[in-house]
Structure formats: C-alpha cells, structure tokens
Amino acid sequence: MCGIVGAVAQRDIVEVLLEGLRRLEYRGYDSAGVAVINDSQNLRRVRRMGKVKTLADAIAESPTPGGTGIAHTRWATHGEPSEDNAHPHVSGDIAVVHNGIIENHEKLREELQDQGYTFTSQTDTEVIAHLVERELRDSTSLLNAVMAARSLLEGAYGMVVINRTDPERMVVARSGSPLVVGHGIGENFIASDQLALLPVTRKFSYLEEGDVAEITRTEIRIFDAGNEPATREAHESDVEHDAGDKGEFRHHMMKEIYEQPVAIANTLEGRLVGGKLNLESLGDLSNIDQVQIIACGTSYHAGMTARYWIEELAGIACNVEIASEFRYRKSVVRPNSLLVTISQSGETADTLAALRLAKETGYDRAITICNVPGSSLVRESDMALLTRAGAEIGVASTKAFTTQLTALMLLTAGLGRANGMNKESESRIAEALLKLPALIEKAIGMDGAIKDLAEHFAEKHHALFLGRGDQYPIAMEGALKLKEISYIHAEAYAAGELKHGPLALIDSEMPIIVVAPNNELIEKLKSNIEEVRARGGELFVFADEKLSIRPESNMKVMSVPHCDDIIAPVLYTLPLQLLSYHVAVIKGTDVDQPRNLAKSVTVE
Ligand code: G6P
C-alpha cells in the first residue's frame, strides 16, 4: 500500500527519496510524488500518475535539488488515482505525506472550507495539510502544530510534515500506520518500511503507537501519545541491502519461489538441532485448551492448514478466522485460550486490530507467526515465532507462506509436547521437517513441466481447485495465487462439496486442478476425480509419485515427490505457485505488482 520516505540532510536528497520509493514499489500504488525544500527555501513538488520511473523522468527533465524532502507512493482510497490526488499535499508553506485513512475527514473538510481553505484534491489527506497550516499560526513550532492537529484526527495515520519556512526539520506522527526512523551520520530519515532506507542506513528506531517525532539532521526527539518525551531503542537491521534485487530472475515472485528451500532451512535453524526439535524459544505453551488463529489472505490459508495439524497432532481444539470478521463480532473466549496471529508483514490493519481486541477479551497469551522483526504484531504480542523468510517483494506471497507453515508445524509440536504428545509423533514431525528443504528443492524441479502445463490455462476464464483435509487450504491458496496474478477467476472447494454445487459448472471449458497426496482420503478423492471426468471436465492432478493415478484422456497427472503425509501441504504448495506464475507470464500480467493489490494492507 502507500509508501513514505523522508529525509533531512545537507546533501541533495532527491535521489535517496526516489530510490526509497523504488524499493517500496512492491507494496502496490497508482501514483507517486516528491516535495523538497531547497537552499533558497523554495518548496517544490512533483507528482505523477503511474510508476516511480515516470516521476523520476519528470524530475530528471527539470531537476529539483534540496536537502529536506518527503516522498510518497499512493494507493487510492479516497479519490481516484490522479495527479491532483497524489501526495504530497500542500497548504501554504506546509507539505504532507500520509498513509492510512482519516475517518472524520468530511467534517474537518467542511470546517476548514468554512474557514477559507480551498481543497484541490478529493483525498482525506489534504485536511491534514490545512489543519497543520492552521495550527501553525497559533503555535511556536511545527512540532506543536502537528501535536495540535493530530488531536483532531480520527482514524489511522503515519504522516510526515515539512515547513518551507523552517527547512531543517520534519515532524512525523504515527497512529495505526507504521513508521521507522533511520539514523544517519549528519542526516536522518523516515520511512514506512526500513527496506526503503537500506541504501543509506542500517540503524533504525520503530515509532510506537501515538508517537510524534521531530527529526533534524543531528537530532531525533520522540514524544509518546501523551506528548511526553520517549526513548525508542535503535536496532541494527540484518536485512540484506540488496533485498530488492531480482538477481538472475525475471520477477521477484520467481526468485522468491526458488528461495524457499533456504528460507525454510532458516525457519528451522536453531529450532531443529541434530534431528531433534528445540522448542524452548516458543515460550510457555502449557495449560492451553483452545487455540484461536487470526490472519488475512495467504496467511489465513496457513492458519487453516495449521488447524488440521493442531487438532490431529497436538490434540488441542483450534479455530481459525479471518481477522476482519473476528474483530467485528462477539466471540466467546474459553479459559486457557492461546491467540495466534499469522502475518508476513506484521502490519496488516485488521490482524493488528484483532490482536488488540483479543488482548482485551481474556486470551491467556498471544503469539505471532511473523516475517518482520520489530513489526507492530511482533512488538504487541507476548511471543513471536519469526519465519525468517527474508524480505518478500512479490505481492503474491510465496516463501512467506511456506515458512509460515513450517513455523506452524513447530508450534504444533510445541503445543503437542506441552499437551502430552507421544515421542513417536514428535520424532515424526522432526523427521518430516528435517527432510523438507530438500523435498522443496525437488518440487522446484517440476518447474519445466509446469511451464508446459500452463499453456492450457492461457485462454481460460475460470478454474476450479479441489482438495481434501489439510490439502483443502492448499487448494484455496492455489486458487488465490491464480486469481491474484493471472486474473483468472478461480475457486477452491473441499472435494466432498463437489456435488453440492460446483459440479454444475463442470464442462470442457473448466480446468479442474486436484491436489491428491497419498493419504487415507485418496480413495474418496479418486471418486471425485471420476465424477468430474464423467462430465467432460479437464483435469490436472498433482499426485504423490507413489500413487497409481494414470493419465487418461482429459486428465493430466503431475507426479509430486513422495513425502510424509503430515508435511505434504507445504510440498504441494510449490507446483501451484509455479503454475500460477507461468500462467501469469503467458498472459503478460504484472506478476510482481498485480493490479489493485497491495503487499501490506495497512488500512482496513
Ligand atoms: C495482502 C497481500 C497478501 C497477504 C495479505 C495478508 O493481501 O497481498 O499476500 O497474504 O495481505 O498480509 P500479511 O502481511 O498479514 O500476511
């Protein structure tokens, strides 16, 4: 979603801002803009529809140097994507960039219009610019003006404000939208994601909810929600500097698919030692009678898979719910309940809100399975199990998902151990996890064959995915991947539901993708396959290499490496990721930044 970069420096900062925006492109956006204050105290703003490259070209044609500046990529919420609606927004000497949604913007807009302010955009953000401008008239500093303005705002924001007449500082505020301060030498930075600033610093402080900060070249002063001075520790980032590079790959998504064996090995490091599970770092998992998992999107599918594992292997009751549903209904919390949030970014607005709500409603403990250390979910949970997948740039989640599944299997083992799981089950989990990176490597070997298979989907408008048991969520994830990046309408069904509706859709135009591992449900799945064949459906079956499913007319069979059934959901994810990737490439869509989607959904 929207991205923010800001800097106060002595040198010309424009290229740093543009590079920061490029590094945030993966989040999804529709327009971009920059505002800088130059040595003669002129405020110059450039905004463009479309890509950061268009903005950079415009700036290259008419250079606009300056040492203090703010930049933004916008993902439209209020007001269509257009140059007028792009950030920064300006009011008099004030320029503002903002992530989030100001919920009382209509009331504030009316009030400001009555006071003579003219609006030039349809955005909610423009009220912030006018409010700060108004408050500055009665304030002694930009800091005080921003503090006064934010007390009038309802909703979510991460914002950065600069003032033409006071060029050596920016004031930033956070409520519901992440901001990270980058510490430089004789210069300082702000961004919505540390990735944006990795070329200029590795030292970061995360702002907390309600924080306001005044940033100059040499000083960072932070104040908490009550406007009291606060200290936010600085951390050295260990994210690779070139995390944004595609290397030899054409797309980030493919690079990230290929990174999965290493990413999973990283998830397991120190947690699976000498073939034995080392689960101390999971914290206290004793006395848990109920697990509630909360997540969105792909992370929700990881949670759905884990429910099968937690109930079957750990013997603990488990519910899974989409965060946006959970947060707006009354749910019953049983004693001794563990809340598990799952999130790649750790900043998804609904998941974060669900965690905060759950903390008020009596959950015993809250653990997050998350990929971003220092993210809001990690900081606000009692425990964090980091997935260590490395930066994921492609909007469609791949390595974040399989590492979430790996972490969730570790959590299952931890819960099981605390709940009296027998030694055999624990050894089985350890052995399955130990073999996983090599198995994933083998599954990647299916790439060439899947590329050929993808040709069959290029002209299709719909697809149906079928799975059973813990492979049903994998079918859902396969359908999500296909729709996200190839724009083919795809649905997933638990195969047993076939007769209750989707069978009516089957004809020769409807490809049906079946995930068929080697477990006790296979005979039932084979009957489902026959039901589809009998109606002329075109089948694509991903089946364990040891299974005797023979290719037939209208039925292609792809052999998947044999593995222990408990870990099969992770393995079968791979061919489905590769399939959606190749279909998208054939269709010529924007694989890494699919239309209308955002990587990190920081507004509800
Ligand atoms: C967006 C992304 C998905 C992701 C979902 C949840 O929709 O495009 O890939 O699964 O958000 O994000 P999270 O960061 O909480 O896992």
Side-chain angles (χ1 to χ4, degrees), residues 10 406 587:
Q10 207 158 28
T406 307
K587 296 197 76 181

Side-chain angles (χ1 to χ4, degrees), residues 170-199:
M170 38 183 194
V171 175
V172 310
R174 170 194 172 150
S175 179
S177 253
L179 283 178
V180 59
V181 179
H183 301 249
I185 299 170
E187 54 189 16
N188 285 312
F189 308 92
I190 188 83
S192 49
D193 182 330
Q194 56 163 298
L195 265 189
L197 300 177
L198 286 176

Side-chain angles (χ1 to χ4, degrees), residues 578-595:
L578 288 164
L579 180 65
S580 60
Y581 173 80
H582 288 298
V583 175
V585 170
I586 293 168
K587 296 197 76 181
T589 56
D590 190 343
V591 172
D592 285 333
Q593 291 166 36
R595 67 184 180 203

Side-chain angles (χ1 to χ4, degrees), residues 89-106:
H89 287 283
V90 169
S91 178
D93 294 326
I94 297 298
V96 175
V97 289
H98 161 230
N99 288 357
I101 292 176
I102 303 302
E103 282 165 4
N104 59 338
H105 73 104
E106 280 173 354

